Amino acid sequence: MTEKLESTNPATGDVVGVHAVDDATSVAAVVARARHAAGWWAGGTFAGRKHVLDQWRGVLARRMGQLADVVHQETGKPHADAQLEIGLALEHLAWAASHAPTVLGRRRVRPGLLMANQSASVEYLPLGVVGVIGPWNYPVFTPMGSIAYALAAGNAVVFKPSELTTGVGVWLADSLSEVLPEQALLQTVVGGGETGAALCRAGVDKIAFTGSTATGKKVMAACAETLTPVVIEAGGKDPLLVDEDADVVAAADAATWGAFSNAGQTCTGVERVYVHERVHDRFVEELVRRARDVHAGTDADAQYGPMTLPTQTDVVRRHVDDALSRGARAVLGGPDVAADRFVQPTVLLDVPPESTAITEETFGPTVTVTKVRDMDEAVRLANGTGYGLGSAVFSKARGPELARRLRSGMTAVNGVITFVGIPALPFGGVGASGFGRVHGADGLREFTFAKAVARQRMKPVLTLTSFDRTAGADASFATLVTALHGRATQLARRPLDPGDRS
Ligand code: NDP
């Protein structure tokens, strides 16, 4: 008998959908159908693909309310937040479809003097079938960061949504098949970790994984068996820096949103704040004042909903308990607020650096605030975890400079998480936050392979790659190489100025 998966509303526990689970055999059949669609899709033109993706975008936009309902039911997040993530996903879908030709299309490159008889070109060709494994926290926006770019680059996609948000995944695939019923361009496979693992082993051409660092390692290990390439978008422990000249009110507003929206279940959510000592007290006062007005619930005024994954409440409580037992102070909230699925905001001060609230991803509505002497200390502490996903800086004079020194894939200056709404910007992490990029030109190229072609336009002046090569040609080659590169050796003898990047 086929195993069934029930998807539930985390706020009420009500069952909102029942889905048949895919085992390794059915995953293989889905991938085989995708393979067929991939051949057809890759054989088309950029314009043809844009036409289909634009039609799909129209459907998604017109039925945004319906999709937001499914997101709301399966995650518990407010309807308006669900709408926000769908709207942003549509921005990316539009960008990917319209920029694919310029980013991926064939372009000529200079062959260089030695190979002047050649004409050289490069283009980026689709990989074939891309497997996308997604999380539950932004069940539309996050997987669409891979799905939209993989499709626009000419691939077919098999999507394994989190078992908590299966209904959203099924809805997305159904909506594309309304536009293109005859081709299985986007299909969903249903199930938990085993289904994800089966997808990794099903002979797909790439896996785009978004989820925790721990699962990312398992995905990589499974993909290593078949040398299937992976993009790993994993967790974060994002810092926000507040400089002495910052707009403190704006910084506190951003920290409040960054830490507590979506119940803190945001990979690029603000988990740590480092504030210059001159503005620290003012910042904390403003943050606490704002955070007091924020609450979790199902009432119309609630700014966020329940913890989508029930066990996440235990993680929050563990991190808060650990910080308090090491001497931290809760100026708002504390362990008692993590009593049920609705976890209220917690603001922690004086948290020792070795506390799990500083070192591990909490993924809940808590934030630590640490006073620093200067921004050098802030940068050092911010870079002190193994994670490196996003970050934020509030500073009037030094924003871009500090941003560059933060070891994270993305930084918002005088804002928070703003980079996700700019489709041209790549998204991804370093270190324990993963590697590879979605979004932007890098995100399109991620789902392709570079195809290089060198075409002989005329006979070479010097025949070098033939056993008919003459001693004269060898001598001319040596003279030419010395003329081209000999001077570089002399220049390199000059001591290098480390600041000189020219
Ligand atoms: P998980 O790592 O638990 O799961 C992610 C996905 O992997 C789910 O679909 C899950 O299925 C699946 N999965 C689980 N085990 C395996 C396996 N062995 N092989 C293949 N797939 C498997 O993450 P969450 O869903 O809990 O999401 C939260 C995490 O995602 C956080 O750490 C967060 O920071 C991160 N995240 C990162 C983002 C980024 O872009 N960097 C964006 C959003 C979230 P199932 O759920 O059904 O078990």
Side-chain angles (χ1 to χ4, degrees):
M1 207 179 78
T2 313
E3 196 189 331
K4 293 278 192 310
L5 179 156
E6 284 186 348
S7 117
T8 55
N9 181 330
T12 60
D14 291 347
V15 174
V16 294
V18 181
H19 307 271
V21 170
D22 284 294
D23 59 13
T25 309
S26 60
V27 169
V30 168
V31 171
R33 273 200 299 281
R35 176 82 49 213
H36 185 265
W40 171 80
W41 188 237
T45 61
F46 284 114
R49 293 198 278 264
K50 181 175 181 318
H51 180 67
V52 170
L53 295 177
D54 284 351
Q55 280 183 297
W56 186 34
R57 181 159 56 92
V59 170
L60 292 172
R62 288 191 294 277
R63 292 172 54 194
M64 182 159 64
Q66 208 182 89
L67 177 56
D69 281 345
V70 186
V71 174
H72 168 67
Q73 282 181 358
E74 290 197 322
T75 63
K77 71 172 72 179
H79 198 272
D81 281 0
Q83 189 171 281
L84 185 60
E85 70 165 291
I86 298 166
L88 287 179
L90 295 185
E91 285 280 299
H92 282 277
L93 182 55
W95 193 94
S98 61
H99 286 78
T102 34
V103 175
L104 307 176
R106 185 167 166 267
R107 66 186 159 81
R108 291 167 76 109
V109 295
R110 285 176 190 274
L113 206 59
L114 277 182
M115 306 296 279
N117 67 317
Q118 302 281 326
S119 143
S121 69
V122 61
E123 66 181 316
Y124 295 86
L125 297 177
L127 292 166
V129 178
V130 172
V132 174
I133 300 178
W136 43 265
N137 58 338
Y138 290 92
V140 175
F141 179 76
T142 297
M144 281 293 280
S146 299
I147 294 170
Y149 288 80
L151 289 174
N155 304 279
V157 172
V158 177
F159 174 34
K160 206 300 277 178
S162 163
E163 59 190 321
L164 302 183
T165 51
T166 300
V168 176
V170 170
W171 197 102
L172 281 174
D174 286 352
S175 65
L176 181 49
S177 57
E178 270 177 38
V179 172
L180 196 72
E182 62 278 11
Q183 293 289 342
L185 262 195
L186 170 63
Q187 302 170 85
T188 301
V189 288
V190 170
E194 281 182 14
T195 306
L199 184 56
C200 294
R201 296 191 170 97
V204 294
D205 300 291
K206 186 152 195 167
I207 286 283
F209 167 83
T210 309
S212 62
T213 305
T215 310
K217 290 177 187 171
K218 290 187 199 163
V219 165
M220 244 182 116
C223 288
E225 291 168 16
T226 47
L227 214 63
T228 302
V230 288
V231 189
I232 303 284
E233 297 289 349
K237 188 75 192 169
D238 287 8
L240 182 150
L241 275 53
V242 186
D243 201 355
E244 59 181 318
D245 67 346
D247 179 338
V248 172
V249 173
D253 181 32
T256 311
W257 167 265
F260 307 127
S261 61
N262 206 35
Q265 304 166 122
T266 303
C267 52
T268 51
V270 174
E271 299 214 356
R272 301 172 292 148
V273 183
Y274 296 100
V275 194
H276 195 287
E277 59 187 7
R278 292 210 179 97
V279 293
H280 174 268
D281 293 356
R282 216 152 39 89
F283 173 83
V284 170
E285 195 182 313
E286 185 66 25
L287 173 67
V288 172
R289 189 183 70 71
R290 287 169 178 274
R292 268 191 218 293
D293 291 338
V294 174
H295 74 276
T298 51
D299 54 297
D301 294 335
Q303 288 88 349
Y304 63 84
M307 302 306 286
T308 305
L309 181 67
T311 51
Q312 204 58 37
T313 308
D314 302 332
V315 177
V316 174
R317 197 182 313 111
R318 235 183 16 249
H319 285 191
V320 174
D321 282 345
D322 174 68
L324 296 177
S325 72
R326 292 172 191 268
R329 285 184 296 138
V331 284
L332 186 73
D336 297 345
V337 298
D340 63 13
R341 279 194 174 200
F342 293 91
V343 180
Q344 307 303 333
T346 287
V347 177
L348 295 168
L349 303 187
D350 306 328
V351 184
E354 63 280 9
S355 309
T356 48
I358 296 281
T359 58
E360 292 177 17
E361 185 181 45
T362 308
F363 220 54
T366 67
V367 67
T368 66
V369 182
T370 303
K371 190 193 288 188
V372 292
R373 277 187 315 279
D374 53 30
M375 286 298 107
D376 288 344
E377 186 183 7
V379 168
R380 185 175 56 75
L381 293 173
N383 288 341
T385 73
Y387 290 109
L389 192 55
S391 55
V393 174
F394 275 78
S395 172
K396 288 204 178 90
R398 302 176 60 194
E401 174 217 324
L402 293 169
R404 195 155 186 277
R405 290 169 61 192
L406 288 171
R407 192 171 181 273
S408 67
M410 299 79 57
T411 303
V413 175
N414 297 329
V416 72
I417 325 182
T418 41
F419 39 76
V420 301
I422 302 172
L425 284 178
F427 182 99
V430 293
S433 294
F435 52 83
R437 292 294 181 265
V438 295
H439 301 176
D442 299 83
L444 279 168
R445 286 197 200 102
E446 192 71 55
F447 299 106
T448 62
F449 67 95
K451 179 71 190 177
V453 174
R455 179 176 64 83
Q456 177 155 310
R457 283 188 304 127
M458 60 180 101
K459 279 204 160 36
V461 180
L462 292 175
T463 300
L464 297 169
T465 54
S466 162
F467 291 117
D468 295 339
R469 197 170 69 197
T470 62
D474 285 344
S476 302
F477 176 71
T479 309
L480 186 60
V481 168
T482 309
L484 285 174
H485 302 292
R487 209 171 119 68
T489 321
Q490 284 173 344
L491 289 175
R493 284 213 193 97
R494 278 205 335 236
L496 281 177
D497 171 3
D500 183 4
R501 298 184 172 277
S502 59

